[in-house]
């Protein structure tokens, strides 16, 4: 069975410094190994793919990527360069790699144009966004132009976590909870809800959002979101689709990246349906062979397994 992974990270020597904040979260020896793997685009990566039975990786620049760059002009030039590099890597290995563009969201107009160039000229399949950009989230009115281009090109934006602008007070004194252990997931789920209540999907009803880590727990709270929306003051916000869950079932697609557990997969299938779940490994932060073995042995139907493994990715990203 063909297997396509959608959350597969890399970095370049020039851009590795942007990950310094993430480096402080990990054990030093673990980060050293992760860094070595991130920099390896086609050597041991391909060997691991072969050993794990992973046919295609959809590559994306590691978090926080160019969004950590304070200089907008430098972000624009570096985005173009790394997207060119990514396209060249795919061209050299067209049956093994596809890619998501990095966007210089510091300059929304330039980001929209870079998305267009990356898709129409370089053959990339959308873009991956690492949380906020200098404190600006994807519901910001200035970034509507990026959504306009993404919807017009019919490509998804993949929302990936990164360190937040600040840390919630409840985490004070517990640095172990900051990062992928906990805070990244809650921050990213909140970011998605900003898109719903900020009207992004009302403005662009067919926009497609990808979210990793089995949906950052959002599939498990759909009923409560709707129930509490009936209870809460709306503060002048009305949703064209009525309930928040309608947007998550319509506009949201999730990947299994970083969650190799049957219980959340089964819940996600019930909550979102098999057409909205895709495969990912979260390499190099998780092992490819663990992820592919989970997919092969998960207690789901063979039809759903095929959709998750490759069918949905082929449809959503137009991968032959």
């Amino acid at each position: 069975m063909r297997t396509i992974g959608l959350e597969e990270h890399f970095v370049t020597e020039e851009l590795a410094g942007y990950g310094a904040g993430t480096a402080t979260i990990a054990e030093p020896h673990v980060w050293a190994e992760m860094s070595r793997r991130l920099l390896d685009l086609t050597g041991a990566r391909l060997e691991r793919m072969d050993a794990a039975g992973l046919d295609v990786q959809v590559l994306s620049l590691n978090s926080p990527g160019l969004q950590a760059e304070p200089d907008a002009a430098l972000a624009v030039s570096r985005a173009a360069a790394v997207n060119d590099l990514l396209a060249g890597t795919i061209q050299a290995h067209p049956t093994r790699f596809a890619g998501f563009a990095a966007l210089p969201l510091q300059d929304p107009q330039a980001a929209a144009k870079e998305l267009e160039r990356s898709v129409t000229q370089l053959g990339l399949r959308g873009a991956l966004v690492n949380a906020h950009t200098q404190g600006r989230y994807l519901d910001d009115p200035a970034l509507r132009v990026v959504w306009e281009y993404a919807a017009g090109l019919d490509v998804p934006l993949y929302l990936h976590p990164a360190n937040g602008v600040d840390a919630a007070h409840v985490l004070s004194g517990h640095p172990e909870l900051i990062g992928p252990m906990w805070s990244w997931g809650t921050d990213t789920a909140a970011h998605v809800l900003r898109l719903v209540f900020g009207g992004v999907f009302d403005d662009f009803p067919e926009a497609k959002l990808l979210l990793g880590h089995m949906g950052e727990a959002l599939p498990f709270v759909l009923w409560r979101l709707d129930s509490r929306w009936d209870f809460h003051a709306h503060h002048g916000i009305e949703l064209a689709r009525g309930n928040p869950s309608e947007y998550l079932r319509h506009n949201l697609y999730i990947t299994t990246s970083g969650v190799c557990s049957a219980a959340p997969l089964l819940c996600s299938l019930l909550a979102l349906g098999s057409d909205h779940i895709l495969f990912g490994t979260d390499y190099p932060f998780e092992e490819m062979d663990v992820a592919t073995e989970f997919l092969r042995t998960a207690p789901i139907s063979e039809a759903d397994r095929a959709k998750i493994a490759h069918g949905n990715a082929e449809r959503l990203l137009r991968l032959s």
Side-chain angles (χ1 to χ4, degrees), residues 13 17 22 30 39 68 93 97 112 138 143 161 203 213 221 244 260 272 274 284 289 296 299 305 307 313:
E13 292 280 3
T22 306
V30 174
L39 290 165
H93 302 274
F97 295 129
L138 284 172
L143 293 174
D203 290 348
H213 315 125
V221 296
C260 297
L272 300 179
S274 59
D289 58 346
R296 281 192 291 268
R305 198 183 325 275
K307 286 183 180 181

Side-chain angles (χ1 to χ4, degrees), residues 120-142:
T120 62
Q121 297 181 33
L122 302 183
L124 302 186
R125 306 296 171 160
L128 184 137
V129 176
N130 292 296
H132 64 92
T133 305
Q134 307 297 307
R136 182 158 61 184
Y137 296 91
L138 284 172
D139 65 315
D140 191 291

Side-chain angles (χ1 to χ4, degrees), residues 229-279:
W229 185 232
D230 288 340
F231 171 84
H232 272 243
H234 287 196
H235 302 285
I237 296 171
E238 296 301 335
L239 300 176
R241 289 186 177 272
N243 286 323
S245 69
E246 293 301 316
Y247 297 87
L248 300 181
R249 290 190 173 99
H250 182 74
N251 300 98
L252 181 65
Y253 297 78
I254 71 170
T255 74
T256 63
S257 65
V259 181
C260 297
S261 174
L265 174 59
L266 294 173
C267 177
S268 297
L269 281 166
L270 289 170
L272 300 179
S274 59
D275 289 340
H276 282 247
I277 304 175
L278 300 88
F279 181 66

Side-chain angles (χ1 to χ4, degrees), residues 67 103-106 108 111-112 115 127-148 150 156-161 187-188 190-201 203-204 207-211:
Q67 292 166 250
L103 300 180
L105 294 167
Q106 297 86 336
L115 176 62
L128 184 137
V129 176
N130 292 296
H132 64 92
T133 305
Q134 307 297 307
R136 182 158 61 184
Y137 296 91
L138 284 172
D139 65 315
D140 191 291
L143 293 174
R144 284 299 201 273
V145 64
V146 177
W147 285 106
E148 178 185 355
L157 298 183
Y158 195 126
L159 180 59
H160 184 269
D187 284 359
T188 309
H191 194 160
V192 175
L193 294 179
R194 288 180 67 109
L195 302 179
V196 172
F197 292 104
V200 168
F201 300 129
D203 290 348
F204 305 102
K208 297 176 177 64
L209 180 72
L210 276 161
L211 192 62

